Amino acid sequence: MPPELYYLSNFHKGLDWLVERSADLLDDAERAFIERFSGLAQASQALLVRMIMRKGPHFRASKLTYPEIGCPREAAAPLLDSGWLDTRAGLSLAELFEQLRKDELARHLPAARPHGRLKKNELLDLLAAQHPAPRPFTEWCPALDDPLYSLTVGALCERLRLMFFGNLRQDWSEFVLADLGIFRYERVEIGPESRGFRHREDLDTYLAIQCCRDDWEAGQPLQEVLAALRGLDCQNPYLARRRDKVLFRIAQQLERDAELEHALELYGECRYPDARKRRVRVLERLNRPTEAHALALEAQRNPENQAELQLIERALARLDRQLGLGKRVRPVETPVARLDLTLPARGECVELAVARHLSTADAPVHYVENSLVCSLFGLLCWEAIFAPMPGAFFHPFHSGPTDLYSADFRSRRAEVFARCLQRLDDGAYRSHLRQVYAAKQGIQSPFVHWGALDETLLDLALRCIPAAHIKAWCLRLLDDLRANRAGMPDLIQFWPAEGRYRMIEVKGPGDRLQDNQRRWLAFCAEQGMPVEVCYVQWATA
DNA sequence: CGAGCCAGCG
DNA sequence: TTCACACATTCAA
DNA sequence: GAATGTGTGTCTCGCTGGCTCGCT
Ligand SMILES: [Mn+2]
Ligand SMILES: [Mn+2]
C-alpha cells in the first residue's frame, strides 16, 4: 500500500487485530461491514477512513479533497451504494449552520439575509423557532452544487474502536502518532487471547452506561436514566464500578439540589467507595443522627480506605456530641514542623515564591508535588507495572495495565514487586533507576512524569534521599495506588553535600491542608522523614 | 486586516 | 474530557 | 475547624489553514 495511505493501512491493522482476537464478539452488521469494506476500491476505503477519523457525521464533498484519494464524488459512490453514506439525512438548522459559512447562509437561507450584522450563533437563535424541522441538505440549499455526505456507520465504527482500545478516549490516530514517536508506549508481550472485552454483553453494557451518562448530562428525565442504569446487569466488576460511578454522580447532584432522601437512596444503591461517607453526611443533614451514628460506626470498623476513615472520625465526633455520648479521645498525631514566612507579593504563585526564597546554590529547591515520588516509584517498579499479566495489556497503545487500580493489582504481581523493592535493600537501586531512566526515557507510564524529572533532579534525589524513605513511600503507594498517588508536599530541598533533604508543603493565606495532604504529612512524620508545612503571609507594601 | 479559535494532520 | 490543587463561602461551636 | 462549592491548569505533539468576529 502506498505510504500516503498510512491511515488506511493502520485501520486495516486494527480490523485484522479484531478479527483475529474478537471475531466472536462481532455482531452480524459489524462482520458484514468488515467483509464488505475490504472488497471496496482503495480510494473508497480511504475516504471512509478519513471520514471516520474526522468530526462528522456530515461532510461536504468540497471538504473532502485529498490528493491520495482523488475525486471525492467518485470515491463516495460505492459508499453510498453500501448505505454507509447518505445524502438525504435530515439536518437541523443548527447542523446546517455548521456546514455553511456565514456568506453561504445569506445566499441560501432567505430568512438570514436581513441580519448580516448578527453573529452566527445569534442568527441561529433568532431563526431556530422558524425552522424546527430537520431537512435534507439538498432541500435546504437546492442551488448549491456540493453534495453533503452523512456517515451512517459512525456508531458501528465507534463500537469497533471501543472493542479495539477498550475505551472511547483513544482513537485510530494512536497508530500514526506511535509510529512517529510522538506517543511512545512500552512494548509488552500481548497474548493472542488478550482482548478488551470477554463477552459481547460487556461491550453493550459499556455503551449503555456511557449512553446513560450522556443522557443525564443532556438533561434527560432522571427517572428514565435511572431505570436504564438499574436495568443493566453488571457482573463484571469493572463495569459495575463504571455504572456505580454514574449513579454516584447523579446522587451527588441530587444532594446539591437538596433532594436528600433521593440522594440517600441512590448512595445506598451503589458500591462506589465514597458512597458510604456521603450517606453518613446526608443522614446528618436529614437530622437522623442515630442512623448516621450507626452507619459511621460500621464504617469505622471496616473502612473502605483511609480517606473514608478520616471523614468518619470527624463525623463521629460531631454525632457523639449531638447524641450526648461521651467525649472521644483524639488519637495523638505526630506533630509536623511549622515554618512561617512573610514574603513580598510579586505576581508569582506561593509555591514558587517560597522555592525562590529558600533555594540556595548549595541547597536547591524543586517544585515537585506528586511527580517526584511517583516517578521514583514508576522507575523502580517499571517491570512490575508493565509485567505481561493476562488481560492487563491487549493492544500496543497502553500507558499502563488496565487492572492498575483493582484490588488484586499488587498481589497478582507480588514476586516482581518484591524483586523491585529488594533493590532498595541491597543498594542496587541507584544504578537501576538511572538505567531505567535512560532506557525508558519518554515512554508513557502512569507514574513517571518525564517532563518533571530531569537528570539533575534524579541525581539529587538519589544522592540525598535514603533508600529506606523511598521504600516507605513505595509501600504506601502500593497500599492504595489510587488514593496515595496524590497529596505529597509541594517542594523538596536537597543538600547534596550533606546527603540530606526536606519536604515542604506551602500554604498561602487562606489555604489549608487537604485530607490527603494531612495523611501524607502524618505518614512522613511518623516515619521520621523531614517534612514541614510553610505558612506564607504577603508583606503589605 | 489581524487576533483567536479549532479541526485537521502526520 | 478528568484530576489535583488552591481559593472562596458558609455554618456551627 | 469543617464542609462545600468554584476556579485553574493540565489538555499527553506542534503546526497549519479556514473561519469568525471585531476593529479600522
Ligand atoms: Mn500544591
Ligand atoms: Mn500547597
Side-chain angles (χ1 to χ4, degrees):
Chain A
M1 192 171 297
E4 317 84 82
L5 292 178
Y6 69 91
Y7 54 91
L8 177 55
S9 136
N10 287 336
F11 189 68
H12 275 293
K13 281 184 208 161
L15 292 183
D16 291 348
W17 184 279
L18 286 178
V19 168
E20 194 174 321
R21 293 154 186 268
S22 303
D24 59 302
L25 295 186
L26 299 167
D27 69 18
D28 293 342
E30 291 150 4
R31 239 190 301 274
F33 171 84
I34 293 173
E35 176 82 14
R36 181 145 194 193
F37 177 77
S38 306
L40 289 177
Q42 212 168 51
S44 299
Q45 293 187 27
L47 182 66
L48 187 70
V49 174
R50 283 287 193 194
M51 294 171 89
I52 288 167
M53 295 179 68
R54 279 174 54 173
K55 197 170 165 197
H58 308 295
F59 303 89
R60 287 171 62 175
S62 59
K63 297 280 181 189
L64 291 172
T65 51
Y66 293 99
E68 77 279 10
I69 291 177
C71 172
R73 302 188 192 206
E74 260 174 54
L79 301 172
L80 288 161
D81 291 341
S82 304
W84 297 346
L85 297 185
D86 183 11
T87 51
R88 296 180 201 292
L91 268 76
S92 66
L93 191 69
E95 288 173 305
L96 180 70
F97 267 54
E98 286 177 17
Q99 294 307 317
L100 294 181
R101 283 193 318 266
K102 219 178 157 184
D103 58 313
E104 291 173 322
L105 278 174
R107 196 168 324 141
H108 296 282
L109 206 63
R113 244 163 262 161
H115 304 102
R117 49 178 59 253
L118 285 184
K119 280 186 267 187
K120 215 178 164 187
N121 50 13
E122 289 170 347
L123 185 60
L124 176 60
D125 291 341
L126 186 73
L127 301 182
Q130 298 173 41
H131 300 278
R135 302 163 69 188
F137 191 65
T138 47
E139 283 180 33
W140 282 116
C141 325
L144 187 60
D145 177 33
D146 189 11
L148 185 81
Y149 302 126
S150 304
L151 190 66
T152 60
V153 283
L156 186 150
C157 290
E158 286 240 304
R159 294 201 297 275
L160 297 178
R161 185 160 66 87
L162 175 60
M163 224 178 285
F164 181 89
F165 288 107
N167 64 61
L168 287 172
R169 94 194 106 80
Q170 289 177 287
D171 61 55
W172 302 112
S173 70
E174 294 279 342
F175 284 80
V176 66
L177 293 174
D179 279 344
L180 292 171
I182 293 170
F183 293 173
R184 298 183 54 210
Y185 295 100
E186 177 66 324
R187 274 170 225 256
V188 184
E189 187 75 25
I190 298 168
E193 74 298 331
S194 287
R195 58 195 208 177
F197 293 92
R198 220 167 306 168
H199 310 293
R200 177 72 199 194
E201 306 84 73
D202 289 351
L203 181 98
D204 292 332
T205 306
Y206 185 105
L207 286 165
I209 295 169
Q210 192 77 10
C211 184
C212 287
R213 208 187 67 179
D214 295 343
D215 283 353
W216 176 61
E217 280 167 5
Q220 293 284 310
L222 187 60
Q223 289 311 323
E224 287 173 28
V225 176
L226 284 178
L229 273 174
R230 287 175 173 135
L232 295 173
D233 179 26
C234 298
Q235 301 286 337
N236 180 330
Y238 166 74
L239 289 172
R241 189 187 160 91
R242 273 188 84 83
R243 188 201 49 182
D244 286 352
K245 189 168 180 180
V246 178
L247 274 177
F248 182 83
R249 287 263 161 84
I250 295 176
Q252 242 180 340
Q253 188 55 50
L254 288 170
E255 195 185 345
R256 249 171 233 153
D257 300 341
E259 306 255 9
L260 297 183
E261 300 281 0
H262 200 171
L264 186 65
E265 181 193 341
L266 249 52
Y267 282 137
E269 240 177 272
C270 67
R271 277 257 159 282
Y272 203 64
D274 289 352
R276 185 168 49 184
K277 63 185 188 208
R278 295 314 316 157
R279 282 165 70 201
V280 172
R281 278 300 295 149
V282 173
L283 284 170
E284 272 190 279
R285 290 178 63 190
L286 281 167
N287 213 5
R288 284 152 66 176
T290 320
E291 289 162 85
H293 190 258
L295 188 59
L297 282 179
E298 186 189 316
Q300 189 189 34
R301 272 195 302 275
N302 191 15
E304 296 272 358
N305 51 49
Q306 292 304 301
E308 185 187 30
L309 190 59
Q310 212 170 0
L311 193 131
I312 289 294
E313 305 262 338
R314 289 197 296 258
L316 277 174
R318 283 192 303 272
L319 290 162
D320 279 351
R321 196 167 350 106
Q322 193 179 349
L323 293 170
L325 302 170
K327 283 233 167 176
R328 314 183 64 78
V329 276
R330 278 215 156 191
V332 272
E333 283 176 25
T334 317
V336 176
R338 179 189 170 114
L339 177 67
D340 283 280
L341 288 180
T342 303
L343 298 178
R346 274 179 274 176
E348 61 190 349
C349 65
V350 264
E351 292 87 355
L352 289 176
V354 174
R356 191 207 301 273
H357 180 258
L358 295 177
S359 203
T360 68
D362 295 337
V365 176
H366 290 255
Y367 181 18
V368 294
E369 259 171 6
N370 307 312
S371 67
L372 179 62
V373 172
C374 285
S375 296
L376 292 175
F377 170 76
L379 290 175
L380 184 72
C381 298
W382 189 280
E383 31 177 324
I385 292 160
F386 289 102
M389 306 302 292
F393 298 88
F394 50 87
H395 60 67
F397 312 106
H398 285 288
S399 57
T402 48
D403 64 337
L404 183 65
Y405 293 123
S406 66
D408 58 356
F409 171 72
R410 184 186 177 183
S411 59
R412 286 183 72 196
R413 298 156 175 82
E415 281 179 38
V416 205
F417 271 117
R419 215 171 354 168
C420 290
L421 295 174
Q422 173 66 32
R423 297 199 185 94
L424 289 166
D425 298 325
D426 60 26
Y429 73 100
R430 285 198 177 89
S431 62
H432 181 76
L433 285 181
R434 288 204 179 88
Q435 187 202 318
V436 176
Y437 180 82
K440 304 298 185 185
Q441 185 72 238
I443 297 180
Q444 298 294 320
S445 151
F447 295 104
V448 183
H449 301 75
W450 295 106
L453 186 70
D454 57 25
E455 203 132 15
T456 324
L457 180 56
L458 179 64
D459 277 342
L460 284 168
L462 291 182
R463 189 185 304 230
C464 301
I465 304 174
H469 292 191
I470 299 177
K471 185 167 186 177
W473 292 335
C474 290
L475 288 173
R476 178 166 153 80
L477 269 172
L478 279 171
D479 213 42
D480 189 341
L481 280 172
R482 200 194 285 273
N484 293 341
R485 57 175 305 154
M488 287 161 254
D490 294 315
L491 307 179
I492 187 163
Q493 184 166 29
F494 299 106
W495 284 268
E498 302 166 52
R500 69 183 178 94
Y501 75 104
R502 68 168 163 172
M503 295 173 287
I504 303 154
E505 170 56 40
V506 178
K507 286 293 154 198
D511 189 14
R512 20 193 49 242
L513 291 172
Q514 298 169 40
D515 279 1
N516 58 358
Q517 294 175 333
R518 286 173 27 180
R519 293 199 305 273
W520 262 106
L521 287 172
F523 175 82
C524 292
E526 279 162 29
Q527 301 280 323
M529 297 169 182
V531 61
E532 297 168 19
V533 181
C534 173
Y535 293 91
V536 178
Q537 297 293 320
W538 297 119
T540 46

